[in-house]
Amino acid sequence: MQTAAEFPALPADQAVTATDHTATTDDNARLAITVHLPEAPDPSRPLVVLAHGWAASRTVWHATAQELAAAGHTVATYDQRGHGASTTGREPISIERLAGDLDTVVGTLTTSERSVVVVGHSGGGYAALAWATRLAASRPDGAGGRLAGLVLVSTASHGQETPANEVKMMGSGLFSRALRTPWLGRKLLGGTHGPQATLAAREANRRLFAATRPQVRAACFASSQGMDQRSGLGRIAVPAAVITGTEDKIVKPSFSEELSAALPQAVLHRIPGVGHMVPLESPGLIARHTHQLVLADR
């Protein structure tokens, strides 16, 4: 079990500049990207790409991205298709489609010579695993090359069978109206947080959920039905940090435990008292684990 107090604060001696970019996918989705650049970027370090989960946006990563960039990492956040400022494109939302979007973001921001570390929360982790599996399948030695590591937060490789009635609710106008009422929206999303989550974290989550179009919410939650990426995990031969909150009721910690056991170079980190929304509840711990993973072999 780990808490922020057990980890030294990251160095924060660099000013950070944020610039916005757009990447266009092969089905004409426009993906909104923010690059958080330290004043003295180190091109030998991997680019860190943060992929958010369903019904969120790149803003969910603000605290994590700022902490990493101030410590000298170049960090990119982006809105998944249909979220935030990104459009949906022609193809329907699926895990493989979102993995393709991640590939587009990486290809837009880097050359093939620069490696990347991908940090995926929840549905962003599903996309990250699908992308890593795709890379591993193309290389005889596993997912080396440009993928330098994975940080998988509150995520799973299988078992995320959203019931049909819940998918329907995600797309309903009544649910959307309820989300727009602060106290009611926070109550409806109460199961996504741990008992110690601040009001600011719970309200940020409500705002993000309410801002996501109903049809996008429904499509995302339906996309994980039948997902099973377990057969490819053993080939993802890169360092990985798997992070789970002990109070996660959305993607239960047992899925993170299975994921960590299946990845060849993974370390499991349990955060006591934290629920599913780790990027809002404990953003500093994600930053510190990512920092350690990036610098482990340097």
Side-chain angles (χ1 to χ4, degrees):
M1 300 288 187
Q2 287 138 350
T3 64
E6 296 176 42
F7 288 84
L10 298 190
D13 52 359
Q14 296 204 37
V16 178
T17 302
T19 58
D20 291 335
H21 306 263
T22 302
T24 302
T25 68
D26 57 6
D27 73 327
N28 208 36
R30 294 185 301 279
L31 305 178
I33 304 167
T34 298
V35 175
H36 305 260
L37 193 68
E39 61 182 325
D42 182 350
S44 71
R45 289 186 184 183
L47 171 70
V48 178
V49 180
L50 308 182
H52 68 77
W54 309 154
S57 79
R58 59 190 150 150
T59 63
V60 79
W61 293 115
H62 179 74
T64 299
Q66 284 295 113
E67 188 168 344
L68 283 168
H73 303 281
T74 301
V75 181
T77 61
Y78 70 101
D79 290 336
Q80 302 271 16
R81 63 173 52 213
H83 294 75
S86 292
T87 63
T88 53
R90 293 187 299 269
E91 293 185 11
I93 290 173
S94 68
I95 304 301
E96 283 300 319
R97 179 65 261 183
L98 296 175
D101 293 350
L102 173 58
D103 189 67
T104 297
V105 170
V106 170
T108 298
L109 297 178
T110 70
T111 65
S112 58
E113 288 74 33
R114 187 171 189 183
S115 61
V116 296
V117 167
V118 179
V119 182
H121 172 244
S122 193
Y126 309 158
L129 282 171
W131 185 63
T133 301
R134 183 185 301 179
L135 289 180
S138 69
R139 294 177 58 91
D141 57 346
R146 69 186 322 182
L147 180 61
L150 290 168
V151 180
L152 301 164
V153 185
S154 308
T155 196
S157 60
H158 72 288
Q160 304 308 298
E161 304 292 334
T162 308
N165 62 338
E166 187 173 333
V167 171
K168 182 177 180 180
M169 180 190 72
M170 290 294 167
S172 77
L174 180 62
F175 182 59
S176 296
R177 287 193 295 275
L179 288 172
R180 291 194 289 270
T181 302
W183 70 267
L184 181 56
R186 292 194 299 269
K187 182 176 181 179
L188 288 171
L189 298 174
T192 64
H193 300 284
Q196 301 168 5
T198 65
L199 176 60
R202 291 183 284 120
E203 177 60 11
N205 188 40
R206 181 200 68 81
R207 287 177 179 272
L208 289 167
F209 230 93
T212 307
R213 294 192 297 277
Q215 62 269 34
V216 171
R217 287 197 306 259
C220 283
F221 279 88
S223 71
S224 63
Q225 292 173 334
M227 178 187 73
D228 192 340
Q229 304 189 66
R230 286 176 289 184
S231 63
L233 297 181
R235 291 182 56 81
I236 303 176
V238 299
V242 179
I243 300 172
T244 182
T246 61
E247 305 303 314
D248 192 340
K249 297 179 176 62
I250 307 302
V251 179
K252 294 180 180 179
S254 60
F255 287 104
S256 292
E257 292 163 5
E258 288 185 41
L259 180 58
S260 177
L263 291 167
Q265 299 182 41
V267 177
L268 178 66
H269 305 280
R270 300 179 181 87
I271 308 178
V274 169
H276 186 66
M277 291 305 298
V278 185
L280 294 174
E281 296 181 70
S282 196
L285 277 177
I286 299 175
R288 292 164 206 182
H289 284 305
T290 303
H291 177 77
Q292 288 181 345
L293 186 145
V294 170
L295 298 185
D297 295 325
R298 293 174 63 87

